Amino acid sequence: MDQAEVKKKIDALTAELKEHNYRYYVLSEPTISDFEFDQKLKELAYLEQQYPDLAHDDSPTKVVGGGVQNEFKTIKHRRPMLSLGNTYNDQELRDFDARVKKAIGHEVEYVCELKIDGLAISLFFENGKLKQAITRGDGVQGDDVTANVRTIRSLATTLHGQFPESFEIRGEIFMHRKGFEKLNQERQLQGEPAYANPRNVASGSLKLKDPAEVAKRPLDITLYHLLGDNLPFDTHHHCIQAAKSWGLKTADTTEVCKGIDEVLVFLKKWDEKRHYLGFDTDGVVIKVNNLALHDELGYTAKVPRWAIAYKFQTETTSTRLLGITYQVGRTGAITPVAELQPVLLLGTTVKRASLHNANEIGRLDVRVGDMVFVEKGGEIIPKITGIDFSQRPADSEPTSYITHCPVCHTALIRNEGEAQHYCPNEDACAPQVIGKIEHYVSRKALNIDSIGSEMAKLLYEQGLVNSFADLYNIQFEDLIGLERMGEKSAQNIIDGIAGSREVPFERVLFGLGIRYVGETVAKKLAAAFGNINNLMHASKEELLAVDEIGEVIADSLLRYFADERHTTLINQLKKAGLQLEKAESAAPQSDVLKGLTFVISGVFTRFSRDEAKDLIEANGGKCSGSVSSKTNYLLAGEGMGPAKLEKATSLGVNIISENDLLAMLGNPSTESPTNNPSPPAQNTLF
Ligand code: IVH
């Protein structure tokens, strides 16, 4: 390369890496893997070293990446939030150890911590109270997200014990995979495309403007770096133990290792065990334990010399893109799917990967026939990270996104500001109609369990049902004529449909499948408007006045009810005798359970889990998904998870049966609890 070419290369790499930093730190939407990023950074660092005059002053090799969002107040960090150097194999780690030992002159002790894949946060405590929470931002200044961070249940905002008057503590905010999956299920129930991974959701959640919305996201935190003036600790491990004793959440997987060999044992152990954790880890952070040595080792421009990250390998392979297919969801959302030559990745055969939307296809410039790089971490859904352009067939054609629905051939639409294309033919596009019927009969909606996916499809294909309102016109004779339909199954379907007439209004409302109207929103709307007529005629202001209803939901409702097809549908449901009015609550209303938090686990004989939840809430109590020190009662049913029981026992939570609950509500049981574990005496109030 001559000088001009090198300059061109440096300029291009600098610009590209800045863009990736912005995507990673600001948008929380990285488009390349950490490994690819580091490769590019290394290439740039190498070129800059050879040609220092061509390096940019603000090169990504010199500064911590990122930018600051303007929506929240920007706050300067008391001390810059630095990044960590990365290593990808044992040798690079041994090199790090050699550098440390050379600088110090002897063996050192390390602390190994799992590197959780979330987003970094800096917390400032004064007199034992959380004062401020700031995102990393560009490392120098970040966003004040205190109100949002306060909603994280595992974070103690008031400390106990002996703590320094003021200190800063940093950590990672993240989401457990279970919570993530639940959130995605809810999103899909609302007909929305799924989120890509827990990290993106965690990061997106913190940027929400409404803390009440954030509180609904199951975020967690782990704290790993204590900072302050004249702290009375001499090792990093003591700092973390102290933080734990003040009530702050720290990792319980951390280990002190005598030297680099012990560190390598830790790495090997967790490279396997990490797959069984409930959250994503992308590596291990190795820190010199002795704090005096931190000062001695110091920092480079952007990373400490006393710590390093070891990244677990993600597996990348390449395979051929055989085709791109397009899926149509219940709401008409189109998702492009890469159909791949099957390939083995981390023990599973990968045949398909989501291409998300037209923008993603454009960004990758992916074409049928390309060899594509497919990447999978231990737990992450496979993704296409790039194209092997050197193998692109000479006759390859750029991908043109479909303009018409692959199923019903209607012209697609794309609303302004949205990435997804939609098929607007909601009445006659088979996957949409079938998807809507499936949703309508689903457990949390009308709960017609004799109709599953296959049956919904069959009923539609046989012309018996063109919308869920048609279910109410089906006769036994219509069903019995269908292939492989026995009398019993036919009767079950008829009974199921009839039974759905008793389902309360809020679940009918949920069953309509209005975009963004999930289970909770439906409940709020039913409570606020009482019946469908009031809701249909509500103005935007009236909708917005309801707790938790924002612009997006209000607009979606207005759009839905403005469409004549929907008013016709609702009239059909009215005629069919569905509950379109909120019944006077059957559950006894009281505040007997006010201030009490319950966790419900297992199966009950006298009510379903959802009914138990309604009962508790109707009497002023709260329900939570997991047992914590804030839990007052664990309502234990048959088949309850042993982990929950163990945790509740160790925290001294009262474990009660369904009869105990009814007794608390003044409805003492006459039956003895046969199906439920008897609560241990010392834990039971009743
Ligand atoms: S220490 C100067 N410890 O990794 C010390 N970081 O690549 C800097 N991270 O920005 C951080 N787990 O978001 C540290 N146990 C841990 C960590 C951890 C995850 C993240 C953190 C940081 C990034 C650096």
Side-chain angles (χ1 to χ4, degrees):
M1 272 200 282
D2 65 29
Q3 181 105 355
E5 276 178 306
V6 176
K7 180 171 183 323
K8 229 167 125 187
K9 183 87 197 162
I10 287 184
D11 291 353
L13 275 170
T14 305
E16 191 186 344
L17 289 166
K18 276 189 189 171
E19 171 69 17
H20 286 307
N21 269 335
Y22 174 75
R23 283 175 181 276
Y24 186 89
Y25 288 113
V26 180
L27 301 182
S28 304
E29 280 171 11
T31 48
I32 61 170
S33 67
D34 290 2
F35 180 76
E36 289 170 280
F37 181 91
D38 286 331
Q39 292 302 312
K40 287 182 195 288
L41 197 70
K42 272 186 191 157
E43 188 183 351
L44 179 60
Y46 171 76
L47 290 172
E48 287 177 349
Q49 198 193 356
Q50 304 294 313
Y51 299 87
D53 291 342
L54 298 181
H56 294 235
D57 285 339
D58 61 348
S59 163
T61 59
K62 299 191 186 109
V63 292
V64 183
V68 176
Q69 286 208 332
N70 294 323
E71 296 163 8
F72 295 89
K73 213 163 122 198
T74 303
I75 308 277
K76 192 163 184 299
H77 289 296
R78 290 167 176 82
R79 299 166 181 82
M81 277 183 91
L82 300 178
S83 177
L84 288 170
N86 286 326
T87 54
Y88 291 94
N89 56 50
D90 294 2
Q91 188 50 51
E92 287 179 9
L93 198 61
R94 286 191 184 279
D95 292 347
F96 163 77
D97 179 52
R99 288 197 296 276
V100 169
K101 284 195 292 211
K102 191 167 172 221
I104 303 294
H106 55 78
E107 285 275 347
V108 298
E109 203 172 70
Y110 292 107
V111 176
C112 288
E113 295 165 351
L114 289 182
K115 187 171 186 299
I116 298 184
D117 199 12
L119 59 142
I121 193 85
S122 157
L123 308 178
F124 183 67
F125 281 87
E126 215 166 40
N127 299 319
K129 299 252 187 258
L130 175 69
K131 288 283 163 209
Q132 208 167 42
I134 314 173
T135 62
R136 182 169 183 273
D138 64 2
V140 177
Q141 50 184 19
D143 292 334
D144 182 342
V145 288
T146 315
N148 285 349
V149 167
R150 279 187 197 285
T151 67
I152 299 176
R153 288 166 185 74
S154 53
L155 174 63
T157 50
T158 304
L159 306 182
H160 46 76
Q162 287 274 309
F163 41 78
E165 196 177 308
S166 73
F167 66 88
E168 187 180 339
I169 190 158
R170 293 175 180 172
E172 203 80 358
I173 292 177
F174 64 102
M175 191 176 278
H176 292 258
R177 240 172 281 134
K178 240 184 169 166
F180 167 73
E181 281 157 15
K182 189 161 165 254
L183 206 68
N184 257 351
Q185 273 167 10
E186 283 166 14
R187 235 174 110 76
Q188 279 167 328
L189 274 180
Q190 292 172 17
E192 296 303 302
Y195 291 117
N197 59 51
R199 186 190 179 280
N200 285 5
V201 189
S203 150
S205 304
L206 270 201
K207 305 261 167 79
L208 292 172
K209 290 202 190 116
D210 181 1
E213 278 300 310
V214 186
K216 287 191 222 150
R217 306 281 177 96
L219 295 175
D220 199 352
I221 191 167
T222 185
L223 296 159
Y224 50 63
H225 193 190
L226 182 71
L227 299 126
D229 297 326
N230 307 318
L231 294 175
F233 309 108
D234 50 12
T235 67
H236 170 65
H237 195 235
H238 282 148
C239 292
I240 299 304
Q241 280 176 318
K244 189 173 180 184
S245 76
W246 306 329
L248 290 170
K249 188 148 176 268
T250 58
D252 44 18
T253 45
T254 298
E255 278 178 37
V256 177
C257 296
K258 285 270 172 279
I260 202 68
D261 289 328
E262 278 191 30
V263 169
L264 292 170
V265 172
F266 182 93
L267 298 180
K268 193 159 182 341
K269 178 170 80 181
W270 280 103
D271 197 2
E272 285 160 21
K273 277 179 74 169
R274 70 186 163 120
H275 302 299
Y276 304 103
L277 289 166
F279 49 85
D280 291 351
T281 47
D282 57 353
V284 171
V285 181
I286 298 111
K287 298 174 180 169
V288 170
N289 195 15
N290 186 332
L291 294 180
L293 300 184
H294 288 197
D295 292 338
E296 215 169 299
L297 288 160
Y299 297 82
T300 71
K302 56 180 274 201
V303 298
R305 289 200 182 88
W306 46 264
I308 199 142
Y310 175 93
K311 293 287 194 87
F312 291 131
Q313 279 293 319
T314 50
E315 205 176 315
T316 301
T317 185
S318 61
T319 187
R320 194 158 311 274
L321 177 68
L322 302 176
I324 298 176
T325 54
Y326 296 84
Q327 285 181 348
V328 188
R330 161 167 71 83
T331 54
I334 306 286
T335 307
V337 178
E339 304 289 344
L340 304 166
Q341 176 89 51
V343 62
L344 203 62
L345 255 190
L346 283 175
T348 51
T349 305
V350 175
K351 294 184 204 138
R352 311 177 90 196
S354 170
L355 282 166
H356 303 292
N357 51 50
N359 294 349
E360 177 70 357
I361 291 180
R363 187 188 69 76
L364 287 167
D365 178 23
V366 64
R367 304 178 184 188
V368 172
D370 273 344
M371 286 301 284
V372 296
F373 294 114
V374 186
E375 183 182 295
K376 191 164 175 262
E379 45 282 319
I380 304 161
I381 310 150
K383 61 175 182 185
I384 294 181
T385 53
I387 314 299
D388 186 349
F389 289 107
S390 69
Q391 295 204 48
R392 173 164 279 176
D395 58 351
S396 99
E397 298 266 346
T399 300
S400 43
Y401 203 79
I402 51 167
T403 52
H404 289 73
C405 175
V407 182
C408 72
H409 312 295
T410 304
L412 300 180
I413 54 163
R414 194 182 197 180
N415 295 329
E416 217 180 288
E418 287 189 359
Q420 226 74 22
H421 283 75
Y422 283 85
C423 166
N425 183 19
E426 61 169 281
D427 292 331
C429 177
Q432 294 189 58
V433 178
I434 297 168
K436 286 191 177 76
I437 300 171
E438 279 174 351
H439 174 71
Y440 185 81
V441 299
S442 66
R443 195 172 62 81
K444 292 191 167 176
L446 279 291
N447 192 21
I448 309 177
D449 63 2
S450 43
I451 303 181
S453 294
E454 286 304 310
M455 185 51 64
K457 195 162 167 237
L458 186 69
L459 294 176
Y460 174 73
E461 284 171 355
Q462 294 297 315
L464 286 172
V465 174
N466 283 311
S467 81
F468 47 75
D470 291 343
L471 289 171
Y472 299 96
N473 300 328
I474 297 185
Q475 305 293 323
F476 181 78
E477 294 69 38
D478 299 329
L479 293 172
I480 205 73
L482 296 177
E483 212 179 304
R484 280 186 286 136
M485 173 72 73
E487 282 194 12
K488 192 155 184 278
S489 311
Q491 194 56 51
N492 282 344
I493 293 176
I494 296 292
D495 292 347
I497 295 171
S500 71
R501 292 191 171 90
E502 307 306 319
V503 168
F505 174 42
E506 62 244 36
R507 281 171 45 196
V508 182
L509 188 53
F510 171 60
L512 295 180
I514 305 171
R515 251 185 115 185
Y516 306 117
V517 179
E519 212 192 336
T520 321
V521 170
K523 266 191 195 163
K524 300 257 171 201
L525 291 170
F529 293 97
N531 63 44
I532 195 84
N533 286 353
N534 291 345
L535 178 62
M536 281 167 80
H537 297 115
S539 67
K540 184 157 177 179
E541 289 67 37
E542 285 166 332
L543 290 168
L544 287 173
V546 180
D547 179 31
E548 295 192 28
I549 307 295
E551 292 273 335
V552 176
I553 301 176
D555 286 341
S556 169
L557 285 160
L558 291 173
R559 249 197 325 268
Y560 184 88
F561 291 120
D563 189 329
E564 225 174 272
R565 292 173 302 184
H566 298 147
T567 36
T568 310
L569 192 73
I570 288 163
N571 283 332
Q572 284 172 283
L573 293 182
K574 264 187 204 164
K575 271 209 198 109
L578 273 291
Q579 303 288 325
L580 293 167
E581 195 162 331
K582 196 160 168 53
E584 281 313 310
S585 172
Q589 298 279 344
S590 79
D591 56 5
V592 183
L593 306 180
K594 197 166 171 198
L596 298 176
T597 301
F598 289 75
V599 171
I600 305 172
S601 185
V603 179
F604 304 93
T605 52
R606 308 188 58 181
F607 36 63
S608 71
R609 274 226 288 261
D610 287 341
E611 283 164 352
K613 188 167 176 262
D614 290 345
L615 195 62
I616 290 168
E617 288 172 354
N619 287 284
K622 269 199 207 147
C623 293
S624 142
S626 57
V627 178
S628 75
S629 56
K630 292 186 186 135
T631 311
N632 300 97
Y633 294 99
L634 174 64
L635 178 60
E638 195 182 8
M640 178 180 59
K644 267 201 177 126
L645 185 61
E646 198 178 303
K647 185 144 188 219
T649 313
S650 73
L651 289 171
V653 170
N654 297 301
I655 301 167
I656 58 167
S657 69
E658 56 188 325
N659 288 330
D660 293 332
L661 176 69
L662 293 172
M664 285 168 88
L665 299 172
N667 174 10
S669 149
T670 46
E671 298 161 38
S672 64
T674 44
N675 280 328
N676 301 311
S678 336
Q682 75 276 17
N683 278 328
T684 316
L685 277 187
F686 300 94

